[in-house]
Amino acid sequence: MPGNVAAAGAVVWRPRDGAVEVALVHRLRYDDWTLPKGKLEAGESVRAAAYREVREETGARVSLGRFLGRTRYRVGTDHKVVDYFAARYLDGAFVPSEEVAELRWMPVADAAGQLSHDRDRPVLAAFSALPADLTTLLLVRHAKAGSRAQWEDADELRPLSRNGEKQLPPLRALAAMYGAERVHSAPLVRCVETVRPMAVDAGVPVVEEELLTERKYEGMAEAARDRLAEIAAAGGVSVLCSQGGVIPDLVSRVAAGSGLAVPRRVESKKGSVWALFFTGTRLVAADYIRVP
């Protein structure tokens, strides 16, 4: 019976002489020009697969960006389902392989004409619909903590549970794929513990954000929204860890102020992430990421 083959890829881009270029690869097996992509390995997330496949096919180290869309097409008796992301080129050099013979950097308009498959063009169009150079803010709900009912000390001192600690490696890997540069957190032990590994990787301190605690957020939601906008306006890639009583309302407020539609019920599972993308202080895209 036919099944689905999961794959992931990216529109890899770089600034060049005041414009934007994207990378296309020529595959020997199919004699086609396409976007870098490949099948997921066992247990691999779509973002991890996109990041790995870009590295393997182009030699590039990238920082992931927003979700661009999904293509679906038949391969033999199966359907191949490919999720695509924007990915900014950081460094690295292409080396031809048995799978990919050539890489070309091209202006977006030229790349659209070079692509061999019509199914790739809407992905490139989705990339072009917004500015390439967006600010990324990863809004993280802290990982699982011990039971509040069984904790006898002050609640802000309640640490992560063993199950929460198991959530840290994939969160850490996700922050690395997005290229986290700065780390902020509500000053609660469970929040700081969630993002401390990310701060270690980035070589930066964890900046405490009192407004992002549930206790402070109530009655000061507008001030918290302004603080998030201030962090976004600094540019680059930031991580911000908060609580379940803050994140859904905060995401809704920021989206409403920017005219961006998000689900009426904003999810925020423990250990999950909202990847928010800004131009200046205006939110232009938002991806919800469930981390195992």
Side-chain angles (χ1 to χ4, degrees), residues 9-23:
V11 175
V12 182
W13 68 276
R14 69 181 184 185
R16 187 77 167 184
D17 298 329
V20 171
E21 292 183 332
V22 297

Side-chain angles (χ1 to χ4, degrees), residues 86-234:
R88 178 170 186 154
Y89 170 83
L90 299 176
D91 56 40
F94 172 73
V95 177
S97 66
E98 292 183 0
E99 184 175 2
V100 179
E102 186 179 352
L103 179 146
R104 288 183 185 174
W105 287 100
M106 308 178 71
V108 176
D110 294 344
Q114 183 70 33
L115 286 168
S116 299
H117 306 289
D118 289 340
R119 61 178 177 259
D120 290 339
R121 293 188 178 90
V123 178
L124 198 57
F127 169 76
S128 302
L130 291 174
D133 194 10
L134 299 175
T135 293
T136 302
L137 195 155
L138 302 178
L139 183 56
V140 183
R141 184 177 177 188
H142 66 76
K144 296 175 182 177
S147 169
R148 179 177 297 184
Q150 296 178 6
W151 181 252
E152 298 179 352
D153 212 329
D155 183 63
E156 58 265 26
L157 300 178
R158 185 157 50 96
L160 298 180
S161 64
R162 289 185 179 179
N163 285 335
E165 290 174 351
K166 292 178 182 178
Q167 292 178 293
L168 298 189
L171 282 169
R172 186 177 193 173
L174 184 74
M177 287 186 279
Y178 279 92
E181 300 168 298
R182 295 181 299 279
V183 180
H184 302 252
S185 176
L188 307 173
V189 167
R190 56 192 179 275
C191 289
V192 174
E193 286 182 343
T194 298
V195 295
R196 183 180 290 122
M198 307 175 192
V200 170
D201 291 344
V204 297
V206 177
V207 179
E208 294 188 352
E209 302 289 345
E210 187 73 26
L211 287 172
L212 272 296
T213 63
E214 291 174 347
R215 180 175 60 85
K216 284 286 188 179
Y217 187 80
E218 186 175 357
M220 300 189 70
E222 292 300 308
R225 185 194 64 181
D226 292 345
R227 176 56 183 149
L228 184 141
E230 184 179 22
I231 293 170

Side-chain angles (χ1 to χ4, degrees), residues 60-80:
R61 186 174 66 91
V62 298
S63 59
L64 289 184
R66 62 192 175 92
F67 176 66
L68 297 176
R70 172 176 290 175
T71 63
R72 182 184 178 94
Y73 55 95
R74 185 176 290 277
V75 178
T77 59
D78 294 324
H79 287 100
K80 193 166 189 176

